[in-house]
Amino acid sequence: MHTVVVGTNGVTASDVLAVARGGARVELSGEALAALAASREIVEALAAKPEPVYGVSTGFGALATRHISPELRAQLQRNIVRSHAAGMGPRVEREVVRALMFLRLKTVCSGRTGVRPSVAQAMADVLNAGITPVVHEFGSLGCSGDLAPLSHCALTLMGEGDAEGPDGVVRPAGELLAAHGIEPVELREKEGLALLNGTDGMLGMLIMALADLDTLYRSADVTAALSLEALLGTDRVLAPELHAIRPHPGQSASAANMLAVLKGSELTGHHQDDAPRVQDAYSVRCAPQVAGAGRDTMAHARLVADRELAAAVDNPVVLPDGRVESNGNFHGAPVAYVLDFLAIAAADLASITERRTDRLLDKNRSHGLPPFLADDAGVDSGLMIAQYTQAALVSEMKRLAVPASADSIPSSAMQEDHVSMGWSAARKLRTAVDNLTRVVAIELYAATRAVELRAGLTPAPATRAVVAAARAAGVAGPGPDRFLAPDLAAADAFVRGGHLLAAVEPVTGPLA
């Protein structure tokens, strides 16, 4: 099994995906263990002093003014975890919880949190055992970190609360730890707070969304090219010299992808035939501009994610010179903004995709295709309601594009009076990405059927490869009306599983 080694300098997005989705094992480097031990010595020295130090010998948040006596500090650390594990609602997906735990371990291993090496090792052991704490949908405001979600994870380390075992069965966390030979953690000064105070949940969801969107944007270029082909459009608008004079890198990449898919097609360039038109509609002609802008948005989001992956997000932190200082690095604004930005871009990509599908189905705009791509229009309804489903998904995505990060709500007796709502931005982005997959799948379903209905003209080799692979995967072609939901589900699986790209790239080469 693949192993990810966590050191003091952060981790990569590939590391996060390997642990969250691939079940990779986690090991702590010798450098990390040494840094953990060194910062712990500093915390313990401060804990022994009579002067109060926030997070070490005081309460938290609005209760930080109370100095906590040594005999109550272990109780304080337990209590913050128990009280903050206050999530409600549906369970969060296993991959999100694993990303959350791994990214918190990443910060702990930076040597900036004052956590003992044994606590970090227990975090790695829980991940390696396949134990997944039960984390709930609601409880994070994205400031002071993803407090409730991280608290549910810390509760598992203490042997309390519920968790899911590697067999998928939810059991008491103490039983699961015992079954895997893991001793529950007895938290000491600073450790409870250090396990809760990070933007790890929203960052993990950002990294996974970027991975999914990378596949979806390339897939959308393919389906856009298929729609252009089925509509007898022109590929001249994809010429590299046209995109070079407006030098957005995402736009050029998208146009190049479409051009590669369309190479060798006999269907393109017929816009001056029976029903002459000067230009194709915006949804066809401007596909690279819209998808390209989304790609550039993703590039900015990756920059933010990479910075966060290299960061130590905690409060207070142990600095290299030995000082322990409070800060506001737990505020999720940098991550929240790009999560919202990606939801906007995804909604717009879905919108232009749906417009192309609708054009394929409208006999007044499809340039000779049968109404709704039906076998016997009137007797058959064809793909009429498939487009309704697509439109419903797009409408939902537009609602999900409303930014969460603009909706701060104060908490903690006005101590935490401005929060990022980054966790909420991440949760709605996951739904948006899921919906975008379905939207692209429906365009694939319509465009492949439309291409097959263009008798007498040979599609591009890449198109033929897509059609053949889709049909082999159970995505049915033209014919009389049938139970449509299974066909759409097969198209969804074809896109979601990366099979669309696997079909086209042997012909086109890797798409950008």
Side-chain angles (χ1 to χ4, degrees):
M1 181 180 291
H2 179 60
T3 298
V4 172
V5 178
V6 184
T8 59
N9 296 319
V11 296
T12 66
S14 295
D15 292 336
V16 177
L17 294 169
V19 173
R21 290 180 165 172
R25 289 187 58 79
V26 177
E27 290 183 5
L28 310 184
S29 72
E31 176 193 31
L33 291 170
L36 285 160
S39 66
R40 186 63 200 176
E41 287 182 8
I42 294 169
V43 169
E44 290 181 351
L46 289 171
K49 292 183 177 182
E51 299 85 7
V53 177
Y54 176 70
V56 176
S57 53
T58 70
F60 309 113
L63 303 176
T65 55
R66 179 176 172 182
H67 182 225
I68 307 299
S69 59
E71 65 273 11
L72 292 176
R73 289 176 189 170
Q75 181 181 340
L76 168 67
Q77 300 302 318
R78 288 194 300 271
N79 285 350
I80 189 175
V81 173
R82 289 168 175 165
S83 65
H84 285 44
M88 293 184 73
R91 281 181 58 193
V92 173
E93 303 86 356
R94 182 176 186 270
E95 66 177 16
V96 173
V97 179
R98 286 184 62 81
L100 175 75
M101 291 193 293
F102 177 66
L103 287 167
R104 182 80 317 230
L105 176 60
K106 175 268 298 184
T107 282
V108 165
C109 286
S110 70
R112 299 285 169 257
T113 68
V115 168
R116 287 170 293 153
S118 59
V119 176
Q121 186 59 58
M123 297 170 74
D125 290 344
V126 168
L127 281 165
N128 292 338
I131 297 171
T132 307
V134 171
V135 174
H136 299 279
E137 182 88 20
F138 301 104
S140 173
L141 301 181
C143 198
S144 282
D146 292 317
L147 287 174
L150 283 163
S151 297
H152 283 276
C153 294
L155 200 65
T156 293
L157 286 177
M158 292 166 49
E160 301 181 17
D162 292 326
E164 180 186 294
D167 58 0
V169 177
V170 174
R171 297 165 57 192
E175 291 183 14
L176 285 168
L177 294 185
H180 290 85
I182 302 171
E183 287 291 325
V185 171
E186 293 282 347
L187 298 174
R188 297 181 187 172
E189 292 93 344
K190 175 75 170 65
E191 291 178 335
L193 187 60
L195 294 179
L196 315 185
N197 222 339
T199 53
D200 308 293
M202 63 182 89
L203 175 58
M205 287 186 275
L206 171 60
I207 290 165
M208 288 185 283
L210 284 169
D212 294 339
L213 286 168
D214 179 67
T215 296
L216 281 171
Y217 269 83
R218 287 183 290 146
S219 298
D221 288 340
V222 176
T223 59
L226 266 61
S227 289
L228 183 153
E229 196 173 20
L231 290 167
L232 305 179
T234 177
D235 59 0
R236 292 176 62 181
V237 296
L238 303 174
E241 58 271 24
L242 293 175
H243 298 279
I245 62 175
R246 193 188 191 193
H248 294 287
Q251 176 180 323
S252 294
S254 181
N257 286 346
M258 291 182 65
L259 202 57
V261 173
L262 293 169
K263 184 178 181 180
S265 174
E266 292 183 0
L267 278 73
T268 58
H270 293 274
H271 57 294
Q272 294 295 321
D273 288 356
D274 295 336
R277 55 194 189 279
V278 176
Q279 298 170 321
D280 291 317
Y282 283 10
S283 60
V284 178
R285 185 172 17 129
C286 301
Q289 284 77 9
V290 172
R295 287 166 172 273
D296 293 341
T297 301
M298 288 169 59
H300 173 61
R302 284 194 193 95
L303 176 64
V304 172
D306 287 344
R307 290 169 177 166
E308 286 286 298
L309 286 167
V313 179
D314 193 16
N315 177 48
V317 291
V318 181
L319 293 171
D321 61 8
R323 286 179 295 142
V324 176
E325 296 284 358
S326 292
N327 67 86
N329 284 344
F330 49 71
H331 200 289
V335 183
Y337 292 164
V338 294
L339 288 163
D340 280 332
F341 199 174
L342 289 172
I344 292 169
D348 201 38
L349 180 62
S351 180
I352 197 170
T353 300
E354 181 274 331
R355 287 293 79 205
R356 289 191 295 266
T357 304
D358 182 67
R359 184 167 289 272
L360 289 168
L361 306 189
D362 184 353
K363 70 180 182 67
N364 296 312
R365 295 179 292 142
S366 67
H367 310 291
L369 290 169
F372 303 105
L373 306 181
D375 186 64
D376 184 4
V379 174
D380 294 313
S381 294
L383 306 191
M384 179 190 296
I385 307 304
Q387 184 268 329
Y388 282 35
T389 299
Q390 194 183 42
L393 289 162
V394 172
S395 183
E396 173 70 8
M397 290 182 68
K398 291 175 181 177
R399 292 188 290 272
L400 293 167
V402 175
S405 57
D407 190 28
S408 173
I409 187 167
S411 57
S412 192
M414 294 300 287
Q415 175 70 9
E416 300 172 9
D417 59 350
H418 183 83
V419 297
S420 77
M421 301 308 296
W423 173 274
S424 298
R427 296 306 296 166
K428 68 184 183 66
L429 177 59
R430 281 180 70 82
T431 303
V433 171
D434 201 32
N435 285 353
L436 178 59
T437 307
R438 298 184 179 104
V439 169
V440 172
I442 291 173
E443 181 178 30
L444 168 76
Y445 187 67
T448 53
R449 177 183 283 210
V451 165
E452 287 189 292
L453 290 171
R454 291 292 188 189
L457 294 171
T458 303
T463 301
R464 298 199 300 273
V466 169
V467 171
R471 300 297 174 253
V475 183
D481 281 357
R482 55 186 168 267
F483 181 23
L484 203 55
D487 285 1
L488 298 182
D492 176 67
F494 190 70
V495 173
R496 193 178 299 272
H499 306 298
L500 171 58
L501 295 179
V504 77
E505 288 186 330
V507 180
T508 61
L511 298 180

mmCIF file of all heavy atoms in Angstrom, residues 85 129 147 407 414:
data_model
loop_
_atom_site.group_PDB
_atom_site.id
_atom_site.type_symbol
_atom_site.label_atom_id
_atom_site.label_comp_id
_atom_site.label_asym_id
_atom_site.label_seq_id
_atom_site.Cartn_x
_atom_site.Cartn_y
_atom_site.Cartn_z
ATOM 1 N N ALA A 85 -17.710 19.160 20.373
ATOM 2 C CA ALA A 85 -18.231 18.105 19.500
ATOM 3 C C ALA A 85 -19.750 18.191 19.511
ATOM 4 O O ALA A 85 -20.453 17.333 20.032
ATOM 5 C CB ALA A 85 -17.743 16.738 19.975
ATOM 6 N N ALA A 129 -5.667 2.614 10.732
ATOM 7 C CA ALA A 129 -6.594 1.546 11.111
ATOM 8 C C ALA A 129 -7.904 1.619 10.341
ATOM 9 O O ALA A 129 -8.737 0.708 10.445
ATOM 10 C CB ALA A 129 -6.868 1.606 12.608
ATOM 11 N N LEU A 147 -14.387 23.901 13.941
ATOM 12 C CA LEU A 147 -14.334 23.469 15.337
ATOM 13 C C LEU A 147 -15.119 22.189 15.614
ATOM 14 O O LEU A 147 -14.573 21.221 16.145
ATOM 15 C CB LEU A 147 -14.841 24.597 16.244
ATOM 16 C CG LEU A 147 -13.890 25.776 16.412
ATOM 17 C CD1 LEU A 147 -14.555 26.896 17.199
ATOM 18 C CD2 LEU A 147 -12.614 25.336 17.110
ATOM 19 N N ASP A 407 -21.565 35.917 4.149
ATOM 20 C CA ASP A 407 -22.653 35.811 5.125
ATOM 21 C C ASP A 407 -22.115 35.500 6.518
ATOM 22 O O ASP A 407 -22.492 34.522 7.139
ATOM 23 C CB ASP A 407 -23.640 34.726 4.680
ATOM 24 C CG ASP A 407 -24.915 34.730 5.524
ATOM 25 O OD1 ASP A 407 -25.272 35.791 6.030
ATOM 26 O OD2 ASP A 407 -25.518 33.658 5.678
ATOM 27 N N MET A 414 -19.659 37.475 20.893
ATOM 28 C CA MET A 414 -19.085 38.531 20.055
ATOM 29 C C MET A 414 -17.558 38.558 20.056
ATOM 30 O O MET A 414 -16.959 39.470 19.493
ATOM 31 C CB MET A 414 -19.634 39.911 20.439
ATOM 32 C CG MET A 414 -21.109 40.083 20.156
ATOM 33 S SD MET A 414 -21.539 39.880 18.397
ATOM 34 C CE MET A 414 -20.898 41.387 17.708
#
